[in-house]
Amino acid sequence: MTASPTILLVEDEDGLREALAIVLRRAGYQVFERNSAAEGLRAIDRESPDVVVTDLAMENPLSGMDVLRHARQFSPATETILMTAFGTIENAVECMRLGAFHYITKPINSEELELLVAKAVEHRRLVAENRNLRQRVKDSCRFDNIVGASPAMSRLFEQITRVAALDTTVLLNGETGTGKELVAHAIHDNSPRAPRSFVAINCGALPESLLESELFGYVRGAFTGASTNKKGLFEEADGGTFFLDEISAAPMSIQVKLLRVLEERETRRIGDTRSTPIDVRIIAASNRDLQAEVAAGRVRDDLFYRLNVVSLRLPPLRERREDIPLLAQHFVQKYATRFHRPTASIDPAAMRIVTGYEWPGNVRELENVMERAVALGGSDRVGVEDLPPELSVRHGSGAAVSEVGVVMTLEDAERECILWAVKRCEGNLAQAAKGLGIGRTTLWRKLKRYGVQVGEDEGGGAS
Ligand SMILES: Nc1ncnc2c1ncn2[C@@H]1O[C@H](COP(=O)(O)OP(=O)(O)OP(=O)(O)O)[C@@H](O)[C@H]1O
Ligand SMILES: [Mg+2]
């Protein structure tokens, strides 16, 4: 539980000030009262209140405008609300230009003031939270663009630093989207080989014969169509780093040849009688358990042992949930810049959903979701409506407590419950509405608000 927000109330009319102070205290704020602008300035210096509520036209020499200027300059996180008499609206406009949060005209409606103060407090909290998050994103980028502050990622950063300096073969293991290619790049970039080339090939992406000629090259006449000599990628990578992605997908015949490269440190073009010595560092990656692949006979054990000199495991995102807000913020900034969008932050309800999701596609999936949210979102904040609805559906249960232990708002719980029901009924809205005990129109309206595509009225399809 954090301390209650602090409000500085500056008003020279005692009766009004005392009345407003009572209202604000009752609303749960800690209130400081001052009866002049000069006193107000001193209180700003001493208390750095969350919000200042000040009269605009006070007796000389200083006015509410000076209170505002002082707050902007010496306590920039403080939000200022001005109370103006009806006739001084132009001054109020000037105040907005100087950075006031808002103004309210006299006679003061206490409910209106309470609402405005609540908004100012919330705004200040969000600004602080965002600044904090942005700073943490910056601090946690240890290797260009690898974001992470969890203990697991800190350990990985250390390992990358250590391994990069050694010239050893590295095996990267981790589920899809956990950042294997990113880490391979980081190892290269932080190694003495950084000025030389980094060559990557995905062993699962090419048919066997093409993979072979890409890796090793060929001499003219080696096979039909080989009309010239061609260098292989191993030769291209000479002096640099060679990244063998999806190693377990390499056909057996290629595995034998890879083993030769690792053992002999030389490569031979298809159809050639001579080998060329090469100096490459090998980094291999797999999203499968290679030991199991060896046991199943899909990966040669001698190749596995050659590759498995130093192995790094990249933890899935669900094992390091504390990195999710950092990554989400990182991607929002990345795509806001790229798409020239004003989006700068993620709203707390959306963040709760994002941190509670399982992320089977790991960081890549999170990145895609944020890219889409920024590209399609209409405002400067990623909201719940910008997220794909399946993120809100907790698999297996409709529990209203998220796994990170944050109890959600009633609104979040309702949305979860509804989306879960629609999914259970495979998009049959009539059935879902019945199960939920609400009308179909209500359900339809709510789904629309959540950004779920629904047929104009009829039709059971919800995607
Ligand atoms: N820690 C991280 N910080 C920032 N971006 C990351 C991080 N991890 C992964 N990414 C980003 O997520 C995406 C997927 O990463 P990458 O391609 O390295 O995953 P991978 O493990 O190779 O996945 P696959 O097994 O499917 O090939 C990339 O766009 C990458 O930049
Ligand atoms: Mg990859």
Side-chain angles (χ1 to χ4, degrees), residues 76 100 289 316 337 407 412 458:
D289 175 359
T337 309
V407 178
D412 288 347
E458 290 304 312

Side-chain angles (χ1 to χ4, degrees), residues 18-281:
E18 281 158 20
L20 295 179
I22 290 171
V23 169
L24 292 173
R25 286 201 182 99
R26 205 178 288 149
Y29 301 112
Q30 189 186 344
V31 181
F32 306 104
E33 293 180 53
R34 295 294 184 272
N35 61 8
S36 74
E39 285 295 317
L41 303 195
R42 265 191 287 281
I44 288 169
D45 291 341
R46 199 168 44 222
E47 313 290 349
S48 289
D50 294 315
V51 177
V52 173
V53 178
T54 178
D55 189 18
L56 181 58
M58 280 175 289
E59 290 305 310
N60 290 325
L62 299 176
S63 75
M65 197 87 91
D66 298 295
V67 174
L68 169 63
R69 281 207 193 89
H70 192 82
R72 296 309 300 159
Q73 188 172 358
F74 297 104
S75 180
T78 297
E79 300 290 356
T80 305
I81 296 170
L82 292 127
M83 299 184 287
T84 70
F86 188 65
T88 54
I89 210 88
E90 274 139 49
N91 284 338
V93 172
E94 173 64 14
C95 288
M96 294 305 287
R97 213 173 284 136
L98 287 174
F101 180 72
H102 224 299
Y103 62 87
I104 181 168
T105 45
K106 290 182 175 181
I108 305 294
N109 172 328
S110 60
E111 270 171 36
E112 196 186 333
L113 179 67
E114 223 185 292
L115 200 67
L116 206 50
V117 168
K119 273 193 192 157
V121 166
E122 171 68 1
H123 187 256
R124 174 170 156 27
R125 194 184 62 75
L126 281 174
V127 168
E129 200 176 276
N130 268 310
R131 189 179 309 122
N132 193 307
L133 208 50
R134 260 199 291 272
Q135 188 54 45
R136 284 176 53 211
V137 166
K138 237 202 242 150
D139 292 346
S140 61
C141 269
R142 291 264 299 275
F143 297 94
D144 353 80
N145 287 327
I146 307 187
V147 175
S150 58
M153 287 304 281
S154 303
R155 212 172 314 124
L156 186 68
F157 290 145
E158 263 168 48
Q159 289 171 323
I160 293 173
T161 315
R162 216 169 320 127
V163 155
L166 310 170
D167 208 36
T168 147
T169 302
V170 181
L171 183 58
L172 302 174
N173 210 272
E175 290 178 14
T176 180
T178 46
K180 295 183 291 296
E181 182 149 6
L182 201 61
V183 168
H185 264 288
I187 293 174
H188 171 75
D189 291 344
N190 288 278
S191 79
R193 294 176 181 266
R196 309 300 291 272
S197 50
F198 175 91
V199 175
I201 192 159
N202 183 335
C203 303
L206 298 174
E208 182 169 345
S209 57
L210 201 53
L211 180 62
E212 184 179 7
S213 62
E214 281 296 308
L215 286 170
F216 305 105
Y218 47 80
V219 292
R220 206 177 119 202
F223 45 84
T224 357
S227 54
T228 56
N229 290 330
K230 187 182 177 290
K231 254 190 182 184
L233 288 177
F234 274 115
E235 286 173 82
E236 300 277 3
D238 198 23
T241 304
F242 200 89
F243 180 48
L244 284 165
D245 206 355
E246 277 194 52
I247 185 72
S248 64
M252 278 296 170
S253 67
I254 303 279
Q255 289 188 27
V256 177
K257 294 189 167 173
L258 289 175
L259 183 64
R260 264 259 302 284
V261 174
L262 281 158
E263 282 179 341
E264 316 291 338
R265 297 283 155 186
E266 55 182 35
T267 172
R268 186 188 299 182
R269 295 186 191 178
I270 302 170
D272 204 348
T273 48
R274 285 163 311 151
S275 300
T276 318
I278 48 155
D279 167 32
V280 293
R281 174 197 212 161

